[in-house]
Amino acid sequence: MIEAHQLTKRYGEKTAVDRLDFTVRPGTVTGFLGPNGAGKSTTMRMIVGLDAPSSGSVTVNGRRYAEHAAPLQEVGALLEAKSIHPGRSAFDHLMAQAYTHGIPRRRVEEVIEMTGLQAVAKKRAGAFSLGMGQRLGIAAALLGDPSTVMLDEPVNGLDPEGVLWIRNLLSGLAAEGRTVFVSSHLMSEIALVAEHLIIVGRGRLLADTTVKDLVSQAGGDTVKVVSADPARLREVLAGPGVDISGRAGSEELEVTGMPARAIGTAAGKAGITLFELTPRTVSLEEAFMELTQDAVEYHGSFATAGSAA
Ligand SMILES: Nc1ncnc2c1ncn2[C@@H]1O[C@H](COP(=O)(O)OP(=O)(O)OP(=O)(O)O)[C@@H](O)[C@H]1O
């Protein structure tokens, strides 16, 4: 369990993390999302004590990271900055860490197997591909068999097989009852693995929600209905929580707050012929963009042909 209370980090004039309050719970994968520069890495660094909060606090399993007697057993982290000696083999790198934390050799062998590094474990880590490097970073994060696992942009630059592997690994860790906290600036990646979402923009909390709720809040439960008698259909469907819109003279209605199946049934009972009944699905990417559009630090811009002088 990770708990942040009014967590704040300032770098001079810049407030990278601004009074964040959130809880990351065990047994599920929580995605940590936000545009570039939103403060995700800074937050994660504070969770593992690599950066000190300017104010507020963050704890793992009820204590600040530095207060744990055996922190590697509490939280395993893969952060963006890697500190792997390029001349050392993956096995030696993990053994060195295990040795300094009183972790047995057996556990090193276990994490090598879990991360599929058996064939390359004795090779120089400096010669590793990006994917292998990520696997090694994850192996190191899992070394202490931690109840909380935190990964910063774990799928960055991975091939589809690597992405699928990470997805299965994270779901498996959550199913074992661990707290799993994963950052990304890509909604599409997180949507496949996370159930819960913490979304930040410019250091502020924008949403603490579920993937399901984010979609429905963004209008994911709208249904397009084309019928022979839209005026009567409006009357038939009207009710509490149901919102109906449509242009005068058009056969098309947009219905929010009623599933397609219920609309079809009601129309059928009233004898109204339907020509089309289409649930509109808002992609998570769209929902995310809508939520974070004001919080993006650097908007891209492009000149249209007409604007060139
Ligand atoms: N050491 C530092 N000194 C000054 N500013 C910093 C420092 N570290 C981060 N920042 C600034 O704080 C803000 C948050 O950065 P952070 O790296 O935490 O964002 P992020 O959400 O992880 O972004 P990304 O998705 O690009 O990795 C940015 O504006 C960044 O420039």
Side-chain angles (χ1 to χ4, degrees), residues 60-85:
V60 178
N61 302 335
R63 285 176 188 201
R64 282 192 289 118
Y65 185 82
E67 289 168 354
H68 284 292
L72 277 202
Q73 269 95 328
E74 301 289 338
V75 52
L78 169 76
L79 299 183
E80 269 185 305
K82 294 189 189 70
S83 55
I84 294 169
H85 190 301

Side-chain angles (χ1 to χ4, degrees), residues 26-30 168-180 193:
T28 180
V29 178
T30 300
N168 290 335
L169 178 83
L170 298 182
S171 308
L173 292 170
E176 287 167 10
R178 294 177 214 257
T179 302
V180 184
V193 67

Side-chain angles (χ1 to χ4, degrees), residues 25-28 107 142 145-149 173-180:
R25 295 193 167 74
T28 180
R107 181 63 187 165
L142 298 177
D145 200 8
S147 58
T148 297
V149 179
L173 292 170
E176 287 167 10
R178 294 177 214 257
T179 302
V180 184

Side-chain angles (χ1 to χ4, degrees), residues 11 14 16 35-42 45 80 153 185 297:
Y11 294 109
K14 173 97 201 167
N36 289 123
K40 304 180 296 294
S41 301
T42 306
R45 282 203 306 275
E80 269 185 305
E153 304 274 359
H185 56 273
E297 282 212 322

Side-chain angles (χ1 to χ4, degrees), residues 14 36-37 52 55-56 61 98-99 114 130 171 174 209 222 233 239 242 252 255 281 294-295 298:
K14 173 97 201 167
N36 289 123
S55 59
N61 302 335
Y99 185 71
M114 277 170 84
L130 186 61
S171 308
T209 184
T222 299
L233 187 60
V242 181
E252 186 179 322
V255 183
T281 50
D294 297 330
Y298 312 104

Side-chain angles (χ1 to χ4, degrees), residues 9-12 14-17 32-45 51 80 152-153 156 183-186 200 202-203 297-298:
K9 180 71 189 179
R10 282 181 224 100
Y11 294 109
K14 173 97 201 167
T15 304
V17 175
F32 191 27
L33 275 162
N36 289 123
K40 304 180 296 294
S41 301
T42 306
T43 302
M44 286 184 149
R45 282 203 306 275
D51 246 336
E80 269 185 305
D152 196 3
E153 304 274 359
N156 246 5
S183 82
S184 177
H185 56 273
L186 293 177
V200 288
R202 292 185 190 273
E297 282 212 322
Y298 312 104

